[in-house]
Amino acid sequence: MTKDKSRLHPRNKNKGKYDLNALAKINRDLKGIIQPNKYGEDSIDFSDPRSVKILNQTLLEYYYKIDYWEFPDNNLTPPIPGRADYIHYVADLLAKDNKGKIPKGNAIKCLDIGVGASCIYPILGATEYGWNFIGSDVDPKSITSSENIVNNNPSLTGKIELRLQKSPKQIFLGVIKPDDQIDVTICNPPFHSSKEEALKGTRRKVKNLTGKNAKSPKLNFAGNQNELIFKGGEYVFIHTMIKESKAFAKNVNWFTTLVSKQSNMKGILNALEKIGAKEVKEIPMGTGNKITRVVAWRF
């Protein structure tokens, strides 16, 4: 675990190995799920959604002073270290326009596309750098859940505005207002193109974690349909985002998105060239066994 996590961003609070005993002191539920892994080291069952949620709740409380992080169990539980990495790389991107210094505080406004029920990116950006956020989502229940998290954590009050995206086919349209000035947009797009593809991916993940084949596995990070699935998958979602971004060139300094599949990169870069993006950056990220990347562009 230590070796895998060493690829995390240098400022990531979870770069080292988890001290589960220290974490368990602030969350009794965590103490009850600590078990030895195949190497005999203290760990948890990463194939169990409940265990994963308890661990991530504890990480947020211990490292980020977030006392309340409740949302429905059927929603995606985001792994904190990987989500924090994206925020840190975005901070580095913004520093390049600020004489190499990371901008902090209310002056920075970030738009999170697909904020989800957990509100995780706004939480991390607000606690790490003091940024203000707009979080959008197509699911009214996710908006309500994120609002509930914001209202129950004093450190987030007044820093995060939630907006409902009324059209599931649109991304920036219907969310960005004419007078909005946004420093950066972030997005973790739906990865799968169908329910079958999502289930296949889950089976593969469970086998990697447990060595067992499961016909109908629970996704270890959970997740409902709109969080995981978009017709055409990540490729179509990002191409829609690129197409819409041109209309908001004056509202937004940097547009960014995660890209999970390397095979999608060629088409994404071609689309950005065709639409006339003046500057494009590809930022590699490594979390756990997974290599991913951030693509950033502006006009």
Side-chain angles (χ1 to χ4, degrees):
M1 185 190 265
T2 313
K3 190 176 81 172
D4 288 340
K5 289 175 75 183
S6 68
R7 290 187 302 193
L8 290 171
H9 191 282
R11 289 195 303 278
N12 198 312
K13 287 186 165 92
N14 306 121
K15 192 172 168 59
K17 201 171 178 181
Y18 297 135
D19 184 345
L20 290 174
N21 289 317
L23 292 170
K25 284 176 184 171
I26 64 161
N27 188 340
R28 276 189 223 158
D29 289 341
L30 181 64
K31 194 170 187 176
I33 59 167
I34 295 172
Q35 59 185 48
N37 62 16
K38 60 184 176 181
Y39 306 109
E41 300 168 330
D42 281 346
S43 187
I44 67 157
D45 179 1
F46 282 95
S47 68
D48 174 50
R50 181 180 167 270
S51 297
V52 169
K53 189 171 183 178
I54 290 168
L55 173 63
N56 283 284
Q57 280 173 326
T58 313
L59 292 176
L60 273 184
E61 188 175 351
Y62 189 86
Y63 291 102
Y64 302 95
K65 307 296 179 265
I66 295 297
D67 297 324
Y68 180 92
W69 196 54
E70 296 292 343
F71 51 90
D73 286 339
N74 64 311
N75 285 104
L76 191 69
T77 296
I80 305 304
R83 297 302 193 264
D85 248 32
Y86 188 4
I87 292 292
H88 291 308
Y89 281 111
V90 164
D92 291 342
L93 180 72
L94 295 179
K96 287 172 184 171
D97 293 335
N98 195 43
K99 298 177 182 173
K101 192 180 175 189
I102 291 167
K104 296 182 179 180
N106 294 335
I108 297 299
K109 183 162 272 188
C110 179
L111 167 62
D112 178 17
I113 296 292
V115 68
S118 69
C119 199
I120 191 57
Y121 285 121
I123 287 172
L124 293 169
T127 54
E128 285 285 60
Y129 297 113
W131 298 343
N132 282 355
F133 275 79
I134 300 163
S136 73
D137 207 283
V138 295
D139 184 355
K141 288 179 182 173
S142 288
I143 293 288
T144 301
S145 174
S146 279
E147 281 177 342
N148 192 33
I149 289 169
V150 172
N151 293 337
N152 279 282
N153 286 288
S155 63
L156 305 177
T157 307
K159 299 200 74 63
I160 301 165
E161 179 193 348
L162 285 309
R163 294 181 188 175
L164 180 67
Q165 169 56 274
K166 291 176 183 173
S167 169
K169 291 181 180 176
Q170 292 178 343
I171 295 173
F172 298 123
L173 289 162
V175 168
I176 297 178
K177 296 174 182 175
D179 58 346
D180 279 336
Q181 287 301 310
I182 295 163
D183 294 278
V184 63
T185 72
I186 60 173
C187 181
N188 189 353
F191 184 70
H192 302 293
S193 58
S194 66
K195 199 172 180 179
E196 294 72 32
E197 193 188 306
L199 192 59
K200 199 173 163 186
T202 303
R203 284 197 197 105
R204 190 168 57 245
K205 191 181 265 192
V206 168
K207 190 171 185 188
N208 289 341
L209 289 164
T210 66
K212 296 172 188 170
N213 289 308
K215 280 189 179 177
S216 303
K218 276 186 179 179
L219 190 64
N220 63 330
F221 295 110
N224 66 17
Q225 186 142 329
N226 67 281
E227 290 173 319
L228 302 171
I229 300 162
F230 186 83
K231 194 176 178 182
E234 172 185 85
Y235 187 83
V236 172
F237 191 95
I238 293 172
H239 277 256
T240 306
M241 189 186 294
I242 290 168
K243 198 173 166 186
E244 286 188 17
S245 68
K246 183 83 188 224
F248 299 100
K250 289 182 178 173
N251 300 83
V252 177
N253 182 22
W254 282 105
F255 297 90
T256 80
T257 183
L258 285 174
V259 182
S260 291
K261 296 180 182 176
Q262 176 64 42
S263 57
N264 287 337
M265 280 303 301
K266 190 178 177 185
I268 288 166
L269 294 174
N270 285 343
L272 287 167
E273 191 180 342
K274 275 184 190 171
I275 206 163
K278 291 280 189 288
E279 198 175 347
V280 177
K281 291 182 185 293
E282 183 181 348
I283 304 161
M285 274 173 56
T287 56
N289 295 316
K290 194 178 177 190
I291 297 291
T292 185
R293 60 218 49 82
V294 175
V295 173
W297 69 97
R298 62 179 170 184
F299 295 97

